[in-house]
Amino acid sequence: MQWVFNYIDPNNYILFQLDENNFYRTVIHNGVKSDEIIVPDKGDKKSFRTLQIRVSPTELVHQIKHGDRWVVLDRWKQSGTNLNQSKFGFYIPGSDEVALSSFAHYADLNIR
């Protein structure tokens, strides 16, 4: 699965990816890749995965649910931009297929 955040135009955005083995983050700035990370997260290819993306004005936090606990995959900080105002979307290239279940957006949700 692939999704983008802080989308400005085709040359400026953050690409996130999750496959059965890893979580990826790549910042695309002026068409150039930077700030790339790979976080191992082995999962069963045919099983469902539960993700949570928390957005604050300066930070994106991606978490994945393992059993009954949440594990942080990535924290990405950006100053000078209000990430709460950013564009989000799914990236589905070519003939790929993605199934989503229980997708929800909550404004100003503060879970502790």
Side-chain angles (χ1 to χ4, degrees):
M1 186 161 82
Q2 301 180 80
W3 58 99
V4 296
F5 205 87
N6 202 26
Y7 184 88
I8 298 166
D9 59 40
N11 292 313
N12 295 284
Y13 57 91
I14 309 164
L15 175 64
F16 297 94
Q17 299 165 293
L18 182 67
D19 62 24
E20 61 271 7
N21 296 312
N22 299 299
F23 171 85
Y24 308 84
R25 175 192 9 101
T26 306
V27 175
I28 311 296
H29 181 70
N30 293 329
V32 177
K33 292 180 180 183
S34 67
D35 201 13
E36 295 181 88
I37 64 147
I38 299 173
V39 178
D41 189 74
K42 184 78 171 147
D44 183 4
K45 186 175 185 175
K46 297 188 186 233
S47 70
F48 290 101
R49 316 270 306 267
T50 302
L51 291 173
Q52 177 176 290
I53 305 168
R54 298 198 56 196
V55 182
S56 75
T58 60
E59 183 179 55
L60 293 175
V61 179
H62 283 79
Q63 296 176 305
I64 192 163
K65 195 163 192 179
H66 287 291
D68 60 353
R69 66 186 179 91
W70 289 98
V71 175
V72 173
L73 292 170
D74 183 42
R75 287 184 188 276
W76 185 80
K77 295 185 181 207
Q78 173 75 26
S79 60
T81 301
N82 185 348
L83 293 172
N84 285 335
Q85 306 289 321
S86 297
K87 292 181 181 178
F88 168 87
F90 292 100
Y91 176 62
I92 307 171
S95 62
D96 286 1
E97 295 180 8
V98 174
L100 294 175
S101 174
S102 302
F103 178 82
H105 172 266
Y106 303 97
D108 296 328
L109 181 63
N110 190 7
I111 299 174
R112 302 219 185 259

